[in-house]
């Protein structure tokens, strides 16, 4: 499965 | 982490602190939109839902910052709707928040990176944050003025996302990192502050108060 985007910002 | 994102987060923290101090010191939330603060609290809770799902030890500043944002915004709502409720200007805080929440939720279901519960909640929080300041700007346009301290709050709040745009340009250029949904919503959010920024820079900086032609 395509990776869920890691929203690494607040 | 880059300088733009660092100053963006600091500006956001400053905005939250300025508003809390204003309400606490003056023991009044006159001129403050409770709806905007509610919407911000909803944004933080839906965006940082992972804190509640799998609580990882507070080992890094990001977790601490998320908890600060959530607790500060909930505490601000408590001050507005409970402690200093008598000073809440409900008549002028009359923009229908549903007109912001429903489209943001609908759009989050239509345009998202992945149709996954957490991802849709994150997308909803991004779309909602873009328009969450509208009740506050609406209230100022209704009352025709903004206290100087409230103007500083708005300036810090608007600057935070403007700095994030510079952060996204930086990350695109150096890390080829792109989060299209956050960028588009962030640009819309910053555009909504433009006329306030103009008033702030032409008036408040010179020590005048913002008075809109009623």
């Amino acid at each position: 499965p395509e990776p869920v985007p890691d929203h690494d910002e607040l | 982490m880059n300088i733009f994102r660092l100053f963006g987060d600091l500006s956001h923290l400053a905005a939250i602190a300025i508003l809390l101090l204003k309400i606490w010191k003056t023991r009044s939330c006159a001129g403050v939109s409770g709806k905007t603060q509610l919407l911000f609290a909803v944004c933080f809770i839906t965006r940082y839902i992972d804190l509640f799902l799998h609580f990882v030890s507070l080992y890094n500043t990001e977790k601490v910052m998320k908890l600060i944002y959530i607790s500060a915004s909930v505490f601000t709502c408590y001050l507005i709707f409970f402690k200093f409720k008598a000073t809440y200007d409900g008549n002028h805080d009359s923009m229908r928040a549903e007109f912001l929440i429903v489209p943001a939720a609908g759009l989050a279901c239509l345009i998202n990176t992945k149709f996954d519960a957490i991802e849709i909640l994150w997308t909803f929080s991004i779309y909602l944050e873009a328009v969450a300041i509208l009740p506050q700007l609406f209230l100022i346009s209704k009352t025709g003025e903004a206290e100087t301290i409230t103007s500083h709050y708005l300036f810090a709040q608007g600057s935070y996302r403007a700095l994030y745009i510079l952060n996204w340009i930086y990350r695109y250029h150096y890390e080829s990192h792109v989060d299209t949904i956050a960028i588009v919503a962030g640009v819309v959010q910053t555009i909504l502050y433009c006329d306030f920024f103009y008033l702030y820079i032409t008036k408040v900086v010179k020590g005048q108060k913002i008075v809109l032609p009623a």
Side-chain angles (χ1 to χ4, degrees):
Chain A
E2 77 277 7
V4 178
D6 63 326
H7 304 297
D8 61 349
E9 293 172 342
L10 287 176
Chain B
M1 175 63 85
N2 58 67
I3 193 84
F4 303 112
R5 193 168 136 205
L6 175 67
F7 278 94
D9 290 334
L10 290 177
S11 179
H12 198 187
L13 270 179
I16 292 169
I18 290 170
L19 186 66
L20 267 178
L21 276 174
K22 174 249 185 295
I23 297 175
W24 190 257
K25 290 275 181 202
T26 64
R27 303 187 69 73
S28 157
C29 56
V32 174
S33 163
K35 292 184 179 177
T36 284
Q37 298 312 314
L38 270 180
L39 293 176
F40 279 141
V42 168
C43 286
F44 290 135
I45 291 166
T46 51
R47 191 175 306 180
Y48 306 142
I49 198 95
D50 57 310
L51 281 182
F52 306 109
L53 298 181
H54 39 273
F55 190 83
V56 186
S57 68
L58 289 184
Y59 62 90
N60 72 355
T61 49
E62 190 180 309
K63 296 265 182 307
V64 173
M65 287 282 276
K66 289 178 176 181
L67 273 178
I68 290 172
Y69 283 162
I70 289 176
S71 43
S73 61
V74 169
F75 183 59
T76 303
C77 292
Y78 160 74
L79 291 182
I80 293 171
F81 291 106
F82 294 94
K83 191 158 180 61
F84 303 121
K85 182 177 177 55
T87 64
Y88 171 53
D89 186 2
N91 300 326
H92 289 123
D93 191 13
S94 54
M95 176 178 264
R96 304 289 304 277
E98 309 86 298
F99 291 168
L100 302 175
I101 294 174
V102 173
L107 200 61
C109 294
L110 293 176
I111 304 177
N112 52 60
T113 317
K114 187 171 184 293
F115 201 81
D116 159 88
I118 302 287
E119 186 60 23
I120 286 179
L121 278 175
W122 177 86
T123 311
F124 165 68
S125 108
I126 289 287
Y127 292 153
L128 188 63
E129 185 190 356
V131 293
I133 201 63
L134 284 175
Q136 178 66 58
L137 297 176
F138 183 77
L139 184 146
I140 288 175
S141 68
K142 293 264 300 220
T143 56
E145 61 169 2
E147 281 178 43
T148 302
I149 188 74
T150 310
S151 307
H152 295 321
Y153 159 71
L154 275 169
F155 182 72
Q157 184 68 36
S159 306
Y160 132 69
R161 216 60 181 170
L163 286 163
Y164 255 71
I165 293 173
L166 298 179
N167 151 65
W168 290 320
I169 294 169
Y170 176 93
R171 295 191 73 183
Y172 173 71
H173 189 71
Y174 291 103
E175 304 165 19
S176 62
H177 169 281
V178 177
D179 197 337
T180 313
I181 285 176
I183 293 170
V184 173
V187 169
V188 167
Q189 179 171 339
T190 306
I191 289 173
L192 293 179
Y193 283 85
C194 281
D195 70 326
F196 167 77
F197 279 146
Y198 173 76
L199 284 171
Y200 184 84
I201 289 164
T202 54
K203 292 209 173 166
V204 177
V205 170
K206 291 176 189 152
Q208 297 163 16
K209 196 170 169 179
I210 285 188
V211 178
L212 301 175

